[in-house]
């Protein structure tokens, strides 16, 4: 596996600073919080953190916390035993167990319920999870990378996010700039995708863009 095969397109200092910060944080084996608007590349940063870490040959497991209903998110993260709830016909390991020895990327972290946050806090503090319907904790070795487009300190003030969990997750915070403040990167991205499309269409070369009418 190529540990450096993660392509970032851009040359603005704000963007390159964020990428460099991720590179420096990668070997530290501590939680990282990635903050940025939708579409700014949070998942690419999570992949970079994993590939450049000592866990690079372990699993990288991704879950979008906003994509599942509140009633299922805890079972998805921590697993469940057979009969734990209606429809749980067999035991199933959660994403934490799947990510053992690797990295767990929690996208849209700010949407987690308070119950899920409490379980997540225990996993971060003690390195163990308990499946729904079980009383026996399971040891896991997982590095957590969380991502959000929310302002979590404001959510803490409003009682929607645990202050102690935020404190554990923000050992390192990487803020990704939106494209509108990445000076010069629109032209770079346009050229990159233009050349890529030309190659996909089988053109002999990339003619570039015409002048604006």
């Amino acid at each position: 596996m190529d540990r450096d095969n993660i392509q970032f397109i851009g040359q603005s200092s704000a963007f390159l600073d964020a990428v460099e910060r991720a590179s420096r944080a990668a070997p530290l084996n501590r939680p990282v919080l990635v903050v940025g608007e939708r579409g700014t590349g949070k998942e690419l940063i999570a992949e970079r953190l994993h590939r450049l870490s000592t866990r690079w040959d372990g699993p990288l497991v991704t879950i979008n916390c906003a994509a599942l209903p509140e009633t299922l998110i805890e079972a998805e993260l921590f697993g469940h035993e057979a009969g734990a709830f209606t429809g749980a016909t067999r035991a199933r390991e959660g994403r934490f167990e799947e990510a053992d020895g690797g990295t767990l990327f929690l996208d849209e972290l700010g949407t987690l319920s308070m119950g899920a946050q409490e379980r997540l806090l225990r996993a971060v503090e003690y390195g163990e999870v308990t499946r729904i319907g079980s009383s026996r904790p399971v040891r896991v070795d997982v590095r957590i990378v969380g991502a959000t487009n929310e302002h979590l300190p404001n959510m803490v003030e409003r009682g929607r996010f645990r202050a102690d969990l935020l404190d554990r997750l923000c050992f390192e915070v990487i803020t990704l700039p939106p494209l509108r403040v990445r000076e010069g990167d629109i032209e770079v991205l346009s050229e990159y995708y233009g050349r890529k499309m030309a190659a996909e269409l089988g053109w002999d070369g990339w003619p570039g863009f015409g002048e604006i009418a």
Side-chain angles (χ1 to χ4, degrees):
M1 181 184 296
D2 185 354
R3 296 176 63 182
D4 298 308
N5 189 24
I6 305 168
Q7 190 167 27
F8 291 91
I9 311 300
Q11 61 184 16
S12 67
S13 59
F15 176 70
L16 293 179
D17 285 349
V19 174
E20 177 59 26
R21 187 160 186 165
S23 300
R24 292 197 305 267
L28 299 180
N29 203 31
R30 297 292 298 273
V32 176
L33 184 62
V34 185
V35 180
E37 297 177 11
R38 289 185 176 89
T40 50
K42 296 189 288 294
E43 189 165 355
L44 285 175
I45 289 293
E47 186 176 352
R48 187 174 187 84
L49 287 164
H50 176 71
R51 301 301 179 202
L52 298 183
S53 75
T54 57
R55 300 171 177 269
W56 67 274
D57 57 348
L60 171 60
V61 177
T62 297
I63 180 170
N64 185 336
C65 300
L68 292 170
E70 185 176 329
T71 53
L72 293 180
I73 188 65
E74 291 187 47
E76 188 69 23
L77 281 173
F78 308 109
H80 61 78
E81 297 295 342
F85 50 84
T86 302
T89 57
R90 60 184 178 84
R92 181 180 181 278
E93 67 178 20
R95 298 299 179 92
F96 265 93
E97 290 180 71
E98 290 178 11
D100 189 34
T103 303
L104 177 61
F105 176 50
L106 301 175
D107 200 7
E108 302 286 357
L109 181 69
T111 63
L112 284 177
S113 67
M114 295 303 287
Q117 290 179 37
E118 184 175 356
R119 283 176 171 267
L120 177 57
L121 177 63
R122 181 170 183 83
V124 175
E125 286 187 325
Y126 300 108
E128 61 183 32
V129 296
T130 303
R131 293 182 182 180
I132 306 297
S134 173
S135 59
R136 181 177 60 87
V138 177
R139 296 290 299 176
V140 289
D141 175 22
V142 174
R143 184 197 196 175
I144 295 174
V145 177
T148 184
N149 58 4
E150 301 273 2
H151 191 275
L152 294 185
N154 285 350
M155 292 183 66
V156 169
E157 291 179 4
R158 299 196 303 269
R160 293 175 49 204
F161 202 86
R162 294 183 63 113
D164 46 3
L165 177 58
L166 178 58
D167 183 61
R168 298 300 190 280
L169 293 178
C170 64
F171 174 81
E172 179 73 38
V173 179
I174 298 170
T175 302
L176 292 176
L179 185 57
R180 63 180 176 274
V181 302
R182 290 170 50 180
E183 186 175 355
D185 281 355
I186 292 178
E187 291 83 357
V188 172
L189 285 163
S190 299
E191 183 75 11
Y192 170 79
Y193 284 110
R195 291 182 179 279
K196 185 176 181 181
M197 183 174 292
E200 291 174 354
L201 292 172
W203 292 1
D204 293 334
W206 164 239
F209 293 102
E211 294 197 13
I212 299 176

